Amino acid sequence: MIVAGLVIGALAVAAPAAASTPTPTPTSDAPTGTVRVVAADPADTQAAASALVAGMSLREKAAAVVMGTIPTTDAGTLRQYMTTTGIGGFILMGSNVPATEGQLRALTAALTTDPALPPLIAIDEEGGDVTRLPWDTYPSSVTLKDQPAADSEEAFAGRGALVLRAGVGVNFGIIADVTADPSMFIFRRALGTTPDAGVARVQAAVTGESDDALSTLKHFPGHGSAPGDSHLGIPTTGMSKATWAATDALPFEAGIKAGAPVLMFGHLRFTSVDSAPASLSATWHKIARDELGFTGLAITDDLGMLEASGESALQDPVANAVTAVAAGNDMVLEIMFSNADTATRIVDGLVAAVGSGALPAQRLDEAATRVTRLRLELAAEGRGLMPCADCTPAG
C-alpha cells in the first residue's frame, strides 16, 4: 500500500514540474547537492520517477541501470561501493550473507545510502538448490513441482517475508522454465514439469510473494527447452515461435498476469526467433512487452555468463552491457567477473555509447525511469526498510 504523504528522496531534479507531476522541494536534511521531491499524488510513482530522471546527469542515468556485487560482508566496504559507483542495484551472493538475520539486515541497511530512494537489493532465493539464506527452510521446487499449487503459494509467501525481513526488496526466485526431463540443467529448479503445471505454480508463487519481496520470473524465454548450462555456454534450441507460444511461454505469461514486476532474460538462443541470446535480443524484448503484456522491469541474467560461454563475440562485458540495454533491458546484472571496478567500467561504457549513438539516449532514459520507479515503489511501500531490533546503524 502506498504511504500517503510520502517524501521521496532523489538526485537533483532540475526539470520544471507541471501541476500533475512532483514538485522538487529542497529540504534541510538532504545531503549536499540533492533535493527531495514531494509527489503531488503519492501514488504516481511514474511521474515522480520521470521527474527524477529528467534531472539526472547522463552518468547518473547510466549508473542507475547497473546492478553489481562485490564479495564481502563488511558493511563499510559495501557502503563505500554503493556511494562511489552510484549504481541502482546490488545483488547479494553467498559471500555477502553473514551468520545471522540481524547481521544481514545491518548489511542491507549499509547498502541503502538514501532510504527515500533505496537501491534495488536483490537475491537469488529460490530455495532448494539455490539458497543464499541458510535459515530458509521453506519447501522449494524440488518438492513443490509434485505438490498442489497452493503449496507453492504458501512456500513463497514465507520466503518473500523472509527475504523482506532481511532488508532485500527483490527476489530473483521464481523459475518459470518448464521441463519434464530430469537430465536437463534446470529440472530440479523448475516449478513445472508441464506448461499447465508451470502456470499454476508460477502464478501461485507470485501471489504468495506479492505482499513482500518483489517477484522475478526467470529465465525468459525459457531454459527448459534449451539444453545445457547457461553458466558454461549459450543453450540453444530450434523450437519454433508457435510451439514456444503454446508451451514454454505460458508460465511466464501467467506470472506476468499475476503481477510479477521483474522479468529476467536468459542467455538462451531460440534460433527460429533470433540468432542472438535472448538477453541481447530486441526481438525477445518486443515479444515480452507486445505479446505477453509485460510492463515491468527487464533485467539480464548475469552478464558474466556470456563471457564464460567462450564465444569470442561475447568477451567484452562493457559491450555486452551496451547491447543489452539497447536491446531493451532496463538493468544489467554483473556477477561472475565482478570486482570493485567492474560497475564503474560498465557505467563509463554506457555513457560513451550514448555519446557515440550506439545506445539511444531515449532508451537509457526509459530504462533509468523504470528502475527509478521501482526504487520509489520500494520506498513508498516500506519494502526492505522494516525495523530490526538487533541491527546496528551503518555508518
Side-chain angles (χ1 to χ4, degrees):
M1 173 177 289
I2 300 296
V3 180
L6 172 72
V7 178
I8 300 173
L11 298 168
V13 177
S20 61
T21 59
T23 302
T25 306
T27 64
S28 59
D29 63 338
T32 302
T34 71
V35 299
R36 292 197 179 278
V37 176
V38 181
D41 177 1
D44 193 357
T45 51
Q46 177 62 42
S50 296
L52 294 178
V53 172
M56 289 181 182
S57 68
L58 173 57
R59 185 170 187 82
E60 288 166 342
K61 294 174 188 177
V65 305
V66 177
M67 179 177 285
T69 192
I70 52 173
T72 181
T73 56
D74 181 77
T77 300
L78 290 170
R79 193 172 187 84
Q80 182 179 19
Y81 173 75
M82 296 302 288
T83 301
T84 301
T85 63
I87 57 176
F90 188 94
I91 181 170
L92 294 167
M93 303 301 291
S95 59
N96 303 121
V97 178
T100 70
E101 280 191 299
Q103 291 170 339
L104 180 55
R105 186 62 185 86
L107 184 149
T108 55
L111 289 167
T112 303
T113 59
D114 181 359
L117 187 67
L120 296 183
I121 302 176
I123 193 168
D124 290 306
E125 194 61 28
E126 301 171 18
D129 291 356
V130 181
T131 300
R132 308 292 185 219
L133 306 178
W135 48 86
D136 180 357
T137 59
Y138 291 99
S140 73
S141 56
V142 175
T143 57
L144 291 173
K145 62 167 49 72
D146 298 317
Q147 302 298 324
D151 290 7
S152 292
E153 181 173 348
E154 182 179 355
F156 277 87
R159 183 163 289 120
L162 196 71
V163 167
L164 184 63
R165 195 167 71 210
V168 180
V170 182
N171 187 19
F172 295 156
I174 299 178
I175 301 292
D177 309 306
V178 174
T179 182
D181 183 353
S183 70
M184 290 288 283
F185 163 75
I186 206 69
F187 174 77
R188 284 174 56 86
R189 295 166 59 192
L191 281 167
T193 55
T194 67
D196 287 346
V199 164
R201 287 161 183 78
V202 166
Q203 189 173 43
V206 173
T207 300
E209 275 193 332
S210 63
D211 289 333
D212 296 298
L214 302 180
S215 296
T216 302
L217 307 174
K218 60 185 188 183
H219 309 80
F220 187 80
H223 208 315
S225 295
D229 181 348
S230 55
H231 295 85
L232 305 174
I234 309 297
T236 301
T237 178
M239 174 183 279
S240 72
K241 169 75 178 308
T243 300
W244 171 82
T247 55
D248 292 44
L250 299 181
F252 288 100
E253 186 174 24
I256 290 168
K257 288 180 177 178
V262 185
L263 182 64
M264 180 179 284
F265 282 70
H267 306 309
L268 313 166
R269 279 197 180 97
F270 282 63
T271 55
S272 69
V273 177
D274 194 339
S275 61
S279 55
L280 305 181
S281 167
T283 299
W284 276 113
H285 283 79
K286 184 175 176 61
I287 289 170
R289 296 201 182 277
D290 294 351
E291 298 183 24
L292 300 191
F294 181 64
T295 61
L297 185 141
I299 188 169
T300 67
D301 203 346
D302 174 18
L303 290 179
M305 294 159 65
L306 294 175
E307 297 174 68
S309 73
E311 294 190 16
S312 59
L314 301 175
Q315 294 309 297
D316 183 344
V318 175
N320 290 339
V322 170
T323 302
V325 176
N329 288 287
D330 303 307
M331 203 162 210
V332 292
L333 175 64
E334 181 72 33
I335 302 172
M336 194 177 293
F337 300 109
S338 181
N339 57 43
D341 300 322
T342 306
T344 299
R345 289 175 55 211
I346 290 175
V347 173
D348 289 343
L350 292 170
V351 170
V354 172
S356 70
L359 175 61
Q362 184 178 4
R363 172 79 272 273
L364 180 60
D365 284 356
E366 178 184 52
T369 301
R370 285 209 183 99
V371 173
T372 301
R373 180 179 182 178
L374 203 58
R375 293 170 69 182
L376 293 179
E377 288 178 359
L378 287 174
E381 298 176 6
R383 300 184 195 232
L385 301 174
M386 300 169 68
C388 178
D390 57 347
C391 296
T392 56

